[in-house]
Amino acid sequence: MMLVVLLIIWALGTLVFFIDPKKTFIRWASVTAFVGSGGFLATVIEETLLPFLWQHQLVLPGTEQLLYRISTGSSFLCQVGLPYAFLMFAVHSGELFRAKTKTFLSCLTLLPPLLMLLVTPIYPVLQLNYWLLAAWVFPYFFAASWILLTLYRREKEPHLRKSRFYTNILIIVPLLLMFILLYAMRIQHNYEAWRYNAIVVGIQFVFILLISVKYGFLGVRFRIERRRLDSTLRAITSGTQILNHTIKNEAGKLSLYAERIHSYARKTNQPDLQKDALILAESSRQILEMMNRIQGQLQDIVLREQWIDPGSLIEQVADHLQPDAAAHQVEIKAALQANPLLNCDPIQLREILTNLCRNALEAMPSGGTLSLKATLLKRHYLVTVSDTGTGIDKDNLRHVFDPFFSTKKGGNNFGLGLSYCYSAMQKHQGKLEIYSVLNEGTTVSLYFPRKRVLLPKEELNKEVNA
């Protein structure tokens, strides 16, 4: 049992690390998992590995002593290091503190664990003072929990807020139970209660898997979906280039022979054959146009970046769509809360917004409201396109980014609009997310990284003085 739990924690720590090892809070999340596994490692050594070695007479000189040192050392590391690792994960999980403050807190809060190292006999028998340990362990836990909850309350971005909500549930609640069983119960001289942590870890692992599939945990679901879409787009692009070349050649032949047939029919005065030739020529033209459109939306996007006023561009898109909106009895509202400069490809951004707005108009055949909003957040410049239309059901929502998937009925729609928008946002190091409720409406959010935003001098002064 303990060996299984140990392997689960190690697998979870490894998975978390490879989500994005460049991010400090991800590294601390992984460290928290591995440090927290120390108690289970000690038990596996003493109750599984050593008995196995004794039974099969595999104990070499010095091996037993080495394994006991590893056991007591890992147990000490777990009980003393886990609170510190959890606190560091919380400190680095957001921008609640400045970089210098984070460094200061990292050094300051390391003092109690170092003190425990100085006053605690570790080998041959680990002798921890649990009253002294509890004096700083529980404040660390509650401080870390307060930081995580504060970051959740302050989070404005919907997808990050949801991610923080489930991350807090999956981390704070299990750790509270573990801390009670590991520290509080030992103060009461119950030294075996910690074994119930194996059940806590097992339940936590199951819930992490379930939540990761549906909502995402520390970004796992998003990265898996993004990689799947990226590989799909690459495969589709490669295949379409070959198909496009072949179809264009054959359509060119159709057009050439249609021209000859039409010319022959005109000379020989055969009006019915002329009509057939014109239909054939029109069909070949439509095939060529269709393939050009498909190729244009799947080919690799090359950005021509410049600093622009995104608010002006958004207003231009809204003005351009006004006649279509009026025809659909749709009111367009634009709310631009910030006036920064954005480093982007204006043509691509215009195409993204036009695509999204046209989708919104088509979703409101009986009228409604199309809202365009721009907001400057702490880490992103957020542009949202919202409608009060038919919405998208859950089954279709998971496929909206798939190339050639479409809920629209029409021969001129190839289901490539959102795939193109997604790719264009990836090129801008940003992301595109969709939130939709059936029969209530849809909101598409475009997140541009903060490094692409340049504030005017007066805004910069406000930011510095804030």
Side-chain angles (χ1 to χ4, degrees), residues 2 30 35 52 109 184 199 203 219 300 355 380 416-417:
M2 292 299 176
S30 181
V35 169
F52 175 83
T109 54
I199 299 175
I203 295 174
D300 191 36
N355 253 308
H380 295 96
L416 293 172

Side-chain angles (χ1 to χ4, degrees), residues 45-338:
I45 289 174
E46 294 183 12
E47 298 181 1
T48 303
L49 181 57
L50 278 172
F52 175 83
L53 295 176
W54 290 330
Q55 181 180 353
H56 294 83
Q57 298 180 349
L58 297 174
V59 180
L60 300 174
T63 302
E64 185 175 349
Q65 184 182 22
L66 174 62
L67 289 176
Y68 272 121
R69 286 185 180 274
I70 295 174
S71 173
T72 55
S74 60
S75 181
F76 173 83
L77 180 64
C78 170
Q79 297 181 68
V80 174
L82 180 59
Y84 176 77
F86 177 48
L87 180 59
M88 289 301 98
F89 163 74
V91 167
H92 292 278
S93 288
E95 303 303 322
L96 190 62
F97 306 105
R98 297 179 182 273
K100 290 183 178 179
T101 305
K102 291 179 181 179
T103 302
F104 174 75
L105 289 174
S106 300
C107 297
L108 179 65
T109 54
L110 187 59
L111 294 178
L114 291 177
L115 175 63
M116 296 301 300
L117 179 62
L118 292 175
V119 302
T120 303
I122 297 177
Y123 183 82
V125 178
L126 179 62
Q127 301 177 42
L128 279 165
N129 184 329
Y130 285 99
W131 282 105
L132 179 60
L133 195 59
W136 61 271
V137 161
F138 283 100
Y140 274 32
F141 171 80
F142 289 117
S145 301
W146 176 82
I147 292 171
L148 292 175
L149 292 172
T150 301
L151 290 171
Y152 164 72
R153 288 196 302 269
R154 293 187 179 184
E155 186 59 66
K156 296 180 180 179
E157 300 174 35
H159 79 287
L160 288 178
R161 185 176 175 85
K162 183 179 289 186
S163 177
R164 288 191 184 281
F165 174 76
Y166 288 111
T167 298
N168 287 350
I169 290 178
L170 293 172
I171 291 180
I172 294 176
V173 175
L175 277 180
L176 175 60
L177 295 174
M178 292 180 191
F179 276 41
I180 291 173
L181 294 172
L182 190 60
Y183 305 109
M185 296 304 293
R186 292 194 175 189
I187 291 176
Q188 303 300 318
H189 304 292
N190 186 341
Y191 294 96
E192 295 299 315
W194 74 272
R195 292 180 180 273
Y196 290 106
N197 282 337
I199 299 175
V200 175
V201 170
I203 295 174
Q204 181 190 31
F205 183 70
V206 171
F207 274 98
I208 286 176
L209 291 180
L210 294 175
I211 294 297
S212 296
V213 170
K214 190 168 184 180
Y215 300 106
F217 174 72
L218 291 175
V220 171
R221 180 171 180 260
F222 173 73
R223 288 178 63 83
I224 291 174
E225 288 184 345
R226 189 177 70 186
R227 287 172 179 171
R228 177 184 64 82
L229 179 54
D230 287 342
S231 61
T232 301
L233 285 173
R234 286 195 297 270
I236 291 288
T237 300
S238 177
T240 303
Q241 288 174 347
I242 299 172
L243 183 63
N244 182 71
H245 178 72
T246 303
I247 291 179
K248 276 187 174 182
N249 286 341
E250 299 306 314
K253 293 177 184 178
L254 288 175
S255 180
L256 177 61
Y257 282 101
E259 187 75 31
R260 289 184 180 180
I261 293 171
H262 183 268
S263 178
Y264 173 77
R266 190 177 63 250
K267 290 179 181 179
T268 58
N269 193 25
Q270 299 185 61
D272 290 339
L273 186 57
Q274 279 185 272
K275 289 181 181 179
D276 291 342
L278 287 174
I279 292 172
L280 187 59
E282 177 63 19
S283 296
S284 63
R285 187 192 65 78
Q286 288 184 359
I287 291 173
L288 287 171
E289 181 181 344
M290 180 185 70
M291 294 310 300
N292 285 332
R293 288 179 60 188
I294 292 175
Q295 186 182 30
Q297 289 193 315
L298 282 176
Q299 66 186 3
D300 191 36
I301 297 169
V302 179
L303 298 183
R304 293 177 174 83
E305 300 170 78
Q306 61 187 74
W307 290 98
I308 68 163
D309 176 2
S312 297
L313 189 146
I314 293 170
E315 290 176 345
Q316 290 170 16
V317 170
D319 292 340
H320 179 73
L321 291 169
Q322 197 62 52
D324 287 344
H328 285 77
Q329 296 182 322
V330 171
E331 179 186 6
I332 298 181
K333 294 182 178 180
L336 311 176
Q337 299 178 9

